[in-house]
């Protein structure tokens, strides 16, 4: 972690996402997924939204090298998994862009379960091109995660909370409503991305979650 902070100029940008449609989709499909032996966690939705962002802005799926920026063809998303007092480990979902929500959820269940049982294979914690850390499981609202080298960025998701927000209907009328909100904290390597490109990626993640169908 010290090496990472000395290597990459870390910059944080934060946006807030309305999780109403994700929450509704999960409520409607959780039992269906359970019939296939899959626990539909929010992690699968976050990874799917990250994939959408990485596909829309490939520079985010890259690494800094002495020869220049290396954009990775494979979208391999690591997910930080807590091991309790033993710290954390980051198993990697390889080729996440080729997986459906069901397949992502199954992979999340499998990798997290085997991580906590100390049954991961060495290759399953290597080769990540981007990382998700869900610090919200402990109640944190937002944080500034440290980049997992040699990746370009890491996305932290905070605790989901019902908050009063201003909403606008299709006719342009404003109102006050209670919505399940989550902070998305994106830390990026400023050698590769600037504020505009980083925010474009994060906005894609936000919009994917808010427009979930």
């Amino acid at each position: 972690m010290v090496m990472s902070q000395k290597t990459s100029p870390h910059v944080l940008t934060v946006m807030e996402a309305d999780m109403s449609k994700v929450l509704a989709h999960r409520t409607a499909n959780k039992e269906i997924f359970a019939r296939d032996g899959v626990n539909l966690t929010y992690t699968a939705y976050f990874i799917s939204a990250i994939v959408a962002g990485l596909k829309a802005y490939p520079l985010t799926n890259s690494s800094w090298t002495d020869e220049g920026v290396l954009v990775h063809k494979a979208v391999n998303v690591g997910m930080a998994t807590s091991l309790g007092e033993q710290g954390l480990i980051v198993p990697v979902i390889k080729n996440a862009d080729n997986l459906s929500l069901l397949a992502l959820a199954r992979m999340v269940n499998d990798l997290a379960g085997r991580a906590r049982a100390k049954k991961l294979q060495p290759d399953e914690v290597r080769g990540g091109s981007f990382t998700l850390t869900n610090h919200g499981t402990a109640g944190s609202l937002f944080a500034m995660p440290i980049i997992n080298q040699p990746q370009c960025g890491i996305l932290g998701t905070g605790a989901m909370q019902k908050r009063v927000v201003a909403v606008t209907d299709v006719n342009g009328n404003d109102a006050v409503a209670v919505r399940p909100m989550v902070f998305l904290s994106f830390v990026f390597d400023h050698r590769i991305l600037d504020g505009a490109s980083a925010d474009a990626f994060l906005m894609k993640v936000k919009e994917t979650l808010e427009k979930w169908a």
Side-chain angles (χ1 to χ4, degrees), residues 145-190:
I146 298 175
I147 296 170
N148 189 4
Q149 294 295 327
Q151 298 170 18
C152 173
I154 181 170
L155 179 69
T157 56
M160 190 186 310
Q161 288 190 327
K162 289 184 177 180
R163 290 197 285 274
V164 176
V165 297
V167 296
T168 305
D169 64 21
V170 293
N171 297 316
N173 299 312
D174 293 332
V176 173
V178 177
R179 295 284 187 268
M181 306 297 293
V182 63
F183 287 110
L184 306 173
S185 305
F186 177 40
V187 176
F188 58 94
D189 188 335
H190 208 0

